[in-house]
Amino acid sequence: MQKQTLCPCESGQALSDCCLPLIENRAAATTAEQLMRSRYTAYVLKNERYLLQSWHPDTRPQQLDLKNDTTQWRKLHIIEGDKNHVSFVAMFDSGRAGDKQHYALSEKSEFIYEPEIQYLKGENVQTMTLTKNMPCPCQSGKKFKRCCEKYFV
Ligand SMILES: [Zn+2]
Ligand SMILES: [Zn+2]
C-alpha cells in the first residue's frame, strides 16, 4: 500500500476504504469514533461541506473558512471513546513557512444520535505548544522529539 493512500485518521486502512465513503456520503458513520475520525480526515482534506453536514444544527457554525486556514493536521491519537464521546489529541502546525509552530489540540467530543450521528460539541478543549523535550501528547511515555515529531515534515 502506498503511503499517500493511507487514511489520515491513522486507522491503517486506505483512505478509499475508511473515511472517504463517509465524506462522500456513500456510507454513514455508525459509531462516534467513526464519525470523529471522518471529521478529522475532512479537516485534513479541507472538506467544509462534510464538516458542516455532520455538525448538529444547534451548534453548527455558519461557515469554517478552511480555504484561508494555514493549519496542517499531522497526527490523530484517539485516547478513549464510548457511544457518545471520543477523547483525542490532534497534532498540527500552523503559521507561515519557515515560522511554523507545532501544537496539540486535545478535546472530548460529544456526539448525539437523532437518528443519524452528529457532532454536538467539544469539552475540555485545550491547545498546547509542543516542544522537543516534553512528554509526547500521544501518551506513549516518550519525549515528543523521539515520538510524534516525525509526523511533522
Ligand atoms: Zn479514516
Ligand atoms: Zn507520540
Side-chain angles (χ1 to χ4, degrees), residues 15-101:
L15 173 60
S16 57
D17 297 331
C18 186
C19 294
L20 199 62
L22 302 177
I23 292 169
E24 294 183 341
N25 292 335
R26 288 182 282 116
T30 54
T31 66
E33 182 176 324
Q34 223 180 12
L35 187 70
M36 190 269 134
R37 286 176 175 278
S38 68
R39 285 175 49 82
Y40 173 83
T41 298
Y43 273 108
V44 173
L45 302 177
K46 298 191 186 293
N47 188 314
E48 183 162 333
R49 177 197 54 75
Y50 180 74
L51 288 163
L52 294 178
Q53 169 198 311
S54 58
W55 210 311
H56 193 272
D58 288 355
T59 52
R60 179 194 296 157
Q62 288 282 327
Q63 59 180 50
L64 294 169
D65 200 22
L66 294 181
K67 278 195 281 303
N68 298 314
D69 186 354
T70 61
T71 302
Q72 295 247 348
W73 296 96
R74 300 298 189 183
K75 168 81 178 163
L76 174 66
H77 177 72
I78 292 178
I79 297 166
E80 60 179 1
D82 59 27
K83 187 168 185 282
N84 291 90
H85 301 92
V86 181
S87 297
F88 66 90
V89 176
M91 293 177 231
F92 64 98
D93 56 36
S94 183
R96 287 184 298 277
D99 186 30
K100 285 189 188 293
Q101 291 280 340

Side-chain angles (χ1 to χ4, degrees), residues 136 138 140 147-148:
C136 193
C138 80
S140 63
C147 188
C148 292

